[in-house]
Amino acid sequence: MDFTVVMAVVLCALTVPGFGDTGSGKAQSCSDIRQFYSGKGFNLNGVPQSEISGEHLRICPQGYTCCTSVMEDSLSNLSRTEMEGLIRDAGRALQASLNGQYKAFDDYFLDLLNRSESVLQESYNAALGSLYTQNTRVFSDLYTELRRYYRGSNINLEEVLNEFWARLLEKLFKGANGQYLIGDDYLECVSKQSETLRPFGDIPHDLKVKVTRTFVPARSFVQGLVVSGEVVRKVSQVPLSPECMRAIMKMTYCPHCRSLPSARPCASYCANVLKGCLANQADLNTEWRNLVDALMQVAVRFEGVSGVEVVVLSLPARILEAVTTMLDNIDTFNTKVFQACGNPREGGTSSTSLEELKKRKKVTLKDMTAEARVEKLISDVAWRLRDMQTYWVSLPSTLCSDRVATGTQANDKCWNGMTRARYLPEVMGDGLASQINNPEVEIDITKPDMTIRQQIMQLKIMTNRIKNAFNGNDVDFQDTSDDVSGSGSGMCTDENCPRGPRFMAPSTDRPKLYAYAPENKKVVKGSTNHNLPFIALYLLSLVTLVLWR
């Protein structure tokens, strides 16, 4: 055979295209992806009927394909929209959990205050008569200020309590000395004497310590839940990067372009893609766990004999005890005040007299012992908080296992980014710094997302404030966030919070790791290129045999 003819045959053979993964030599139909593409709401104009050469593709492998450039762009945008939707949905589910805890504790705490005030109103009217009915504002103002403080108003709790005792002393002194004309100047002198005479005994000091140790942590607890929800909302709305969009498209819809619609991404492949895409979010992990730990520590404080129920429900009894102490010793108190401030002028018109107060009825306040409700509430809150500790580092595996990837049992039949085969690269660690060698997503680890860094700082600030509150140090929450208020900003309503599955901590069993093979990304470029070396080798052997003959 003429050598020139033989070489021409070889060259022609080398340029004959191979089709699909089947090696059948026949272009495969694109009916599956046409149906799929139409089902996603796209127009079928320009969609191939059978596979075409894929040199135009910029994301998917450039072997024979059913996707045009327009289709690749459309599916790429769709994949980003869907993944961002999954991330937001996961965030809403976490917000719903936080909002549920916030609402449960908030309802519980406000109910305690309402019950406490109700008992005070019912009992004091019977115990003090006109002395109470003429001065109900003093007691109602105390509960109003306690509610405002709990809600996050910028007021000083110690000053609220001091103001209450000062006003109560004035009302009681004037009521016990109705026959005198007592002006503001004289009452100011009485107030100064109270520092040494201590008409209410040790109760104001004791109550201040207990109220502070209860209300400061309670306020910090609900504010911590508010800030947590706000952080989740903002971080869940951070858009995916262009590099991440390409990686998600390649993982999600390139199998359809390669006529492999049933091939789901390998679990380890999906893990690398989402660990890269959510690397900045994973960096929230440390401060997020610190905040959750602080919230759990504060929650435990609400239980027991010195817990929130005992303190709030004991307010009426302790205040009545203080009033009784003063009235029982009113003669001694009057004598010392008159000595220090002078005898007041007679001529008062009050119907309340000292003798009337001494004959007041002895009233036993309704028993309001703590219920088992608080133990169940705190137990539930602690369980839910513990459940969400690893949320940010668990998110990639949660999304992969629930919505995207195939099971580990199908390692040899999953989509590895190029074809249906085992995925070889090692799974990356969590966080931005661990993505320097991520084989699926190009990430500049020197440029963290600033929105997420700001939220990390918010978590750190909130954690420090909760720790201070746990130690009884009052803190101001007004500048915790640019749009967080004491009434629960950032917490979605029941109607807007979708119910979602709980996010469990990831399994401690790491996915099986395989030695990293750099060729995994570049060698397999499509079925046509994969078959050509074997065709060429066969033909060259045939030519050699012919020439030898």
Side-chain angles (χ1 to χ4, degrees):
M1 181 181 293
D2 184 81
F3 179 76
T4 304
V5 175
V6 172
M7 290 305 299
V9 171
V10 172
L11 292 175
C12 289
L14 287 174
T15 58
V16 173
F19 294 96
D21 284 342
T22 63
S24 64
K26 181 180 179 181
Q28 294 189 29
S29 169
C30 292
S31 58
D32 286 341
I33 194 170
R34 286 176 62 85
Q35 181 178 358
F36 166 80
Y37 195 68
S38 176
K40 290 294 184 178
F42 297 114
N43 193 300
L44 289 178
N45 290 339
V47 178
Q49 295 287 346
S50 60
E51 289 183 331
I52 60 176
S53 180
E55 288 81 0
H56 57 279
L57 298 177
R58 291 170 295 174
I59 299 176
C60 296
Q62 292 184 341
Y64 271 73
T65 182
C66 283
C67 288
T68 64
S69 296
V70 173
M71 293 173 65
E72 189 180 42
D73 290 340
S74 298
L75 291 174
S76 180
N77 290 327
L78 176 64
S79 66
R80 178 173 67 174
T81 299
E82 291 178 337
M83 182 56 68
E84 289 179 342
L86 291 178
I87 295 170
R88 284 195 298 271
D89 287 345
R92 291 190 187 103
L94 181 57
Q95 281 182 273
S97 179
L98 289 165
N99 187 55
Q101 296 170 66
Y102 170 86
K103 190 175 187 306
F105 185 85
D106 188 60
D107 290 346
Y108 154 76
F109 194 84
L110 292 178
D111 178 63
L112 287 181
L113 280 171
N114 292 338
R115 289 168 56 195
S116 178
E117 184 176 18
S118 176
V119 168
L120 184 146
Q121 292 171 347
E122 295 172 3
S123 305
Y124 279 33
N125 189 29
L128 301 178
S130 60
L131 186 60
Y132 172 73
T133 58
Q134 293 171 7
N135 301 294
T136 56
R137 185 70 178 270
V138 176
F139 301 100
S140 63
D141 283 353
L142 171 64
Y143 280 88
T144 297
E145 290 301 287
L146 290 177
R147 290 188 187 90
R148 289 185 61 224
Y149 174 83
Y150 164 73
R151 285 297 197 189
S153 295
N154 188 22
I155 57 179
N156 186 288
L157 185 58
E158 184 173 344
E159 290 179 359
V160 167
L161 295 173
N162 290 340
E163 177 68 15
F164 166 73
W165 292 115
R167 290 179 63 193
L168 183 60
L169 174 62
E170 292 178 1
K171 300 298 183 181
L172 291 177
F173 183 79
K174 290 181 70 174
N177 297 279
Q179 69 275 26
Y180 298 112
L181 293 173
I182 300 176
D184 293 341
D185 292 341
Y186 197 89
L187 288 175
E188 185 177 351
C189 181
V190 174
S191 178
K192 292 179 180 178
Q193 303 309 310
S194 66
E195 297 177 7
T196 55
L197 298 179
R198 296 166 59 229
F200 301 117
D202 294 329
I203 296 174
H205 174 74
D206 180 59
L207 207 57
K208 179 177 70 174
V209 171
K210 291 182 178 178
V211 168
T212 299
R213 288 180 177 175
T214 298
F215 277 76
V216 172
R219 182 169 81 152
S220 72
F221 183 75
V222 294
Q223 288 288 337
L225 294 175
V226 168
V227 170
S228 300
E230 188 68 6
V231 167
V232 173
R233 182 184 69 82
K234 289 184 176 180
V235 173
S236 298
Q237 292 177 350
V238 172
L240 297 175
S241 67
E243 293 77 16
C244 183
M245 182 178 72
R246 291 174 58 87
I248 291 176
M249 164 61 191
K250 185 178 180 182
M251 176 180 73
T252 307
Y253 290 131
C254 284
H256 292 271
C257 293
R258 295 285 290 135
S259 299
L260 297 171
S262 63
R264 299 183 69 194
C266 302
S268 297
Y269 173 40
C270 181
N272 273 342
V273 170
L274 291 185
K275 278 177 180 284
C277 290
L278 300 174
N280 281 281
Q281 287 84 338
D283 282 344
L284 286 158
N285 181 57
T286 298
E287 293 305 329
W288 179 261
R289 292 181 68 103
N290 289 341
L291 178 58
V292 171
D293 286 340
L295 287 171
M296 292 172 61
Q297 188 179 24
V298 169
V300 174
R301 168 70 67 84
F302 300 142
E303 298 180 284
V305 295
S306 60
V308 61
E309 278 195 358
V310 174
V311 172
V312 175
L313 297 181
S314 68
L315 284 175
R318 296 312 310 276
I319 295 174
L320 185 59
E321 182 183 350
V323 172
T324 302
T325 298
M326 177 178 177
L327 295 180
D328 285 345
N329 299 282
I330 191 64
D331 290 330
T332 302
F333 184 74
N334 277 350
T335 299
K336 293 184 177 181
V337 167
F338 293 165
Q339 290 176 353
C341 302
N343 293 323
R345 290 187 300 116
E346 295 187 2
T349 58
S350 174
S351 61
T352 305
S353 66
L354 184 58
E355 293 303 319
E356 180 185 348
L357 289 175
K358 290 180 178 180
K359 294 177 182 179
R360 68 191 183 281
K361 290 181 289 183
K362 301 294 183 181
V363 176
T364 302
L365 294 180
K366 182 173 67 175
D367 182 29
M368 291 195 302
T369 54
E371 303 172 352
R373 178 185 173 191
V374 64
E375 280 76 15
K376 183 179 183 305
L377 173 65
I378 298 306
S379 175
D380 184 59
V381 168
W383 173 71
R384 290 181 181 276
L385 288 173
R386 192 178 298 111
D387 197 37
M388 65 179 64
Q389 273 187 311
T390 59
Y391 173 79
W392 296 110
V393 292
S394 301
L395 188 55
S397 61
T398 300
L399 294 176
C400 283
S401 61
D402 288 353
R403 306 293 184 92
V404 179
T406 186
T408 55
Q409 71 276 10
N411 278 334
D412 294 328
K413 299 179 180 179
C414 54
W415 173 253
N416 66 6
M418 302 302 292
T419 188
R420 193 202 301 264
R422 182 179 294 270
Y423 182 76
L424 299 179
E426 179 183 4
V427 175
M428 299 292 101
D430 300 311
L432 190 61
S434 300
Q435 308 309 311
I436 189 170
N437 292 319
N438 192 312
E440 308 305 334
V441 189
E442 295 181 7
I443 299 176
D444 186 348
I445 65 172
T446 66
K447 295 180 180 179
D449 183 90
M450 295 312 298
T451 297
I452 294 178
R453 296 294 139 172
Q454 290 171 358
Q455 298 313 304
I456 291 175
M457 183 57 64
Q458 291 298 329
L459 292 174
K460 184 177 296 187
I461 292 172
M462 191 68 232
T463 299
N464 289 333
R465 290 176 172 177
I466 291 178
K467 289 180 178 179
N468 285 331
F470 179 80
N471 295 323
N473 299 321
D474 204 353
V475 291
D476 174 27
F477 290 100
Q478 294 303 297
D479 60 344
T480 300
S481 181
D482 53 350
D483 56 356
V484 174
S485 70
S487 59
S489 175
M491 307 301 287
C492 49
T493 62
D494 287 342
E495 294 77 15
N496 295 329
C497 286
R499 302 301 176 190
R502 295 187 296 110
F503 286 91
M504 304 299 292
S507 170
T508 54
D509 298 327
R510 287 176 56 85
K512 186 174 181 181
L513 304 182
Y514 302 97
Y516 177 67
E519 300 82 13
N520 192 72
K521 294 180 65 179
K522 298 180 180 179
V523 168
V524 186
K525 289 295 184 182
S527 58
T528 302
N529 295 338
H530 187 69
N531 293 331
L532 280 176
F534 297 98
I535 298 172
L537 182 61
Y538 172 78
L539 290 174
L540 287 175
S541 300
L542 180 61
V543 170
T544 302
L545 181 60
V546 171
L547 292 176
W548 180 72
R549 287 183 178 180

